Amino acid sequence: MDTASPTQTLLDGADLLIDALKLNGISNLYGLPGIPITDLTRRAQAAGMRMISFRHEQNAGNAAAIAGFLTQKPGVCITVSAPGFLNGLNALANATTNCFPMILISGSSEREIVDLQQGDYEEMDQLAIAKPLAKAAFRVLHIEDLGIGIARAIRAAVSGRPGGVYLDLPAKLFAQTIEADAGKASLIKVVDPAPRQIPAPDAVNRALDLLKNAKRPLIILGKGAAYARADDDIRAFVEKTGIPYLPMSMAKGLLPDTHEQSAAAARSYVLPEADVVMLVGARLNWLLSHGKGKTWGGKSSKAWGGQKYIQVDISPTEADSNVRVDAPVVGDIGSCIAAMLNGVNAAGAGWPKPSGDWLGAIADRKGKNIAKMGETLAKNPTPMNFHSALNVMRDVIKGHPDAMLVNEGANALDFTRSIVDMYKPRKRIDVGTWGVMGIGMGFAVAAAVETNLPVIAVEGDSAFGFSGMEVETICRYNLPVCVVIFNNNGVYKGTDVNASGTADVTPTVFVKDARYEKMMEAFGGVGVYAKTPDELRKAVEEAVRSRKPTLVNAIIDETAGTESGRITSLNPKAAKK
């Protein structure tokens, strides 16, 4: 039924779902139409919502997930049943792992048929499958419960540690009707969905005392710190304490990467040498070597370096997950940092700054490493390598600090993280905790839709293959996205040889000199084939200026790159080479 009709006395399930989402400030939907949600997508659009339709549900789900990170409201992905649901499930699991607030809404077969396994169209017990991979999962069977279902999904997605939520809507729910007044009354506008969680005063004092007595303190900022939007207080805390800091990749830009207290260029020195480490919205997972091993000054791969840890996190169970945490500060990051900043301000001139020896040693190593990197970036080999190509991207981002940078790949990811400086918060989005490939085009679409800023997606040629068909989506919605593919003819590099002697190429090698830019041209966008830094610079600058959908096929030396980027040790065979 047309929700705009003045004579309407009944609402059906689709009407009420749209009204429930709009009531809670959700205006953008990501998904893919099909049975039983095709009409829902049309009607959501007609009701004033923006419905971004993708070519594959996994990419739509990734878009919804990063929309949640960028807005602090749950991004919503809508899919069809069974195969469509399963496609979206990958993104839902990734959202849960990365702590991105997201709701996956999928149509499903009728319960009475599924439970008896009677062979319905795309029959699947979707709720049971989703539960282990989501923060929460709900099913709505009756139209009068839709408002509660949406409210519960929103609260679960954004409260505490954010994550992915599954909402199962059987097909016949959409056909159920309710009187308009009763339907409107059944809806819930969620009040304070992510309430502040104030840290205990003694926990704050314990952490401050540990910092005061530290000789070599270090702060590590994670993407949780970026999500919290406590930018001013985080910067004030870092600067007033004088403590050097390391940003994890999606926390880059909370303070400019060029900030004098950034220890990113001396990472391998500060991690094992720090005596007190303060984690802010960062987890001691594989990205930080679990707080153990030689990275942290341990004598073996499982040894703990002996640092003392302060952990600022909304989840109390995160503390002691890998090593002993001496001062857990549990609460939302904004409240925790504000409380700790108050303590520093109260101390005034009495707050002890880190020792000159510690800061001097960091500055010395930073200077040497930055100079060494500068020499590498200044080289101009033919064909381009990752460093010479990323020197261009480094300049482009410096000139356009508001642009969104999406990044995925192996070498394309690792080198970009260490070479391209960020200057503002939440401008860099990448693979995050799981390190999965395939997030690129979904993240790029959502970044453009949610921010209306130009987006630059730096992709390895392998990574682009997971979601490359979405260049049609980028063109269809005329989004200001510039995709830059570092094309070195394969996974890691294009020079591997098939040891069997048969005609097949080795599994890591692609078609030589693939013309990826033609894909964008096929859908009406701009395609550029770039073999030199000057050609790459001109193409990306023009794309940012024009805001036209653009794909730059940047040709990289096929011998460039290393297996698994910088995590070769995770591949047992590669580790033995």
Side-chain angles (χ1 to χ4, degrees), residues 395-459:
D395 290 344
V396 170
I397 293 297
K398 184 176 182 180
H400 303 278
D402 285 315
M404 301 294 298
L405 176 63
V406 176
N407 188 206
E408 65 172 336
N411 294 278
L413 174 69
D414 290 325
F415 284 123
T416 304
R417 278 175 172 167
S418 60
I419 292 172
V420 177
D421 290 329
M422 305 305 296
Y423 301 89
K424 295 187 177 182
R426 293 169 297 279
K427 301 302 182 187
R428 179 189 166 87
I429 48 181
D430 66 28
V431 299
T433 304
W434 255 4
V436 299
M437 289 197 195
I439 55 89
M441 297 303 97
F443 278 20
V445 168
V449 169
E450 300 294 342
T451 70
N452 197 35
L453 294 170
V455 178
I456 301 170
V458 175
E459 302 273 312

Side-chain angles (χ1 to χ4, degrees), residues 143-304:
I143 190 171
E144 58 268 27
D145 294 327
L146 254 175
I148 290 176
I150 292 295
R152 296 203 69 187
I154 291 172
R155 283 196 183 279
V158 300
S159 63
R161 173 169 284 177
V165 176
Y166 175 62
L167 188 61
D168 190 271
L169 303 182
K172 69 179 182 182
L173 175 70
F174 295 110
Q176 293 179 25
T177 59
I178 189 172
E179 289 187 1
D181 289 345
K184 301 271 186 200
S186 72
L187 300 183
I188 297 173
K189 182 174 175 57
V190 179
V191 177
D192 196 13
R196 294 174 62 200
Q197 296 185 28
I198 311 300
D202 59 337
V204 173
N205 292 334
R206 185 186 304 120
L208 291 175
D209 287 343
L210 200 55
L211 280 180
K212 284 179 187 176
N213 295 310
K215 292 181 172 60
R216 301 180 303 279
L218 176 69
I219 295 172
I220 298 180
L221 302 173
K223 66 178 178 293
Y227 176 81
R229 293 180 178 264
D231 308 343
D232 291 343
D233 280 356
I234 289 173
R235 180 165 188 157
F237 182 83
V238 169
E239 292 180 341
K240 289 187 177 183
T241 60
I243 298 173
Y245 70 93
L246 277 177
M248 301 302 286
S249 62
M250 285 181 61
K252 284 165 66 70
L254 266 174
L255 289 85
D257 282 340
T258 52
H259 195 284
E260 65 178 359
Q261 285 174 249
S262 172
R267 177 187 173 105
S268 61
Y269 171 72
V270 295
L271 289 180
E273 294 297 326
D275 62 348
V276 174
V277 179
M278 177 175 166
L279 300 157
V280 183
R283 293 175 279 189
L284 283 173
N285 55 24
W286 70 277
L287 289 164
L288 285 169
S289 302
H290 308 283
K292 304 173 185 175
K294 294 180 180 179
T295 298
W296 291 90
K299 295 181 180 179
S300 69
S301 62
K302 295 183 179 180
W304 177 11

Side-chain angles (χ1 to χ4, degrees), residues 293-355:
K294 294 180 180 179
T295 298
W296 291 90
K299 295 181 180 179
S300 69
S301 62
K302 295 183 179 180
W304 177 11
Q307 288 89 352
K308 292 184 181 295
Y309 287 97
I310 300 163
Q311 186 154 21
V312 179
D313 202 287
I314 202 164
S315 174
T317 59
E318 189 58 41
D320 308 320
S321 60
N322 274 296
V323 299
R324 181 180 67 243
V325 172
D326 301 88
V329 182
V330 177
D332 69 276
I333 288 172
S335 297
C336 291
I337 293 298
M340 296 183 73
L341 180 60
N342 286 340
V344 173
N345 287 336
W351 182 267
K353 297 292 184 180
S355 73

Side-chain angles (χ1 to χ4, degrees), residues 342-408:
N342 286 340
V344 173
N345 287 336
W351 182 267
K353 297 292 184 180
S355 73
D357 289 345
W358 174 233
L359 298 181
I362 295 173
D364 179 62
R365 284 161 176 81
K366 274 179 62 176
K368 291 177 180 177
N369 290 337
I370 290 172
K372 185 177 179 180
M373 177 65 78
E375 292 175 2
T376 302
L377 295 178
K379 296 176 182 178
N380 190 17
T382 302
M384 291 186 290
N385 61 18
F386 287 100
H387 287 88
S388 60
L390 283 169
N391 190 38
V392 173
M393 305 311 301
R394 174 188 174 101
D395 290 344
V396 170
I397 293 297
K398 184 176 182 180
H400 303 278
D402 285 315
M404 301 294 298
L405 176 63
V406 176
N407 188 206
E408 65 172 336

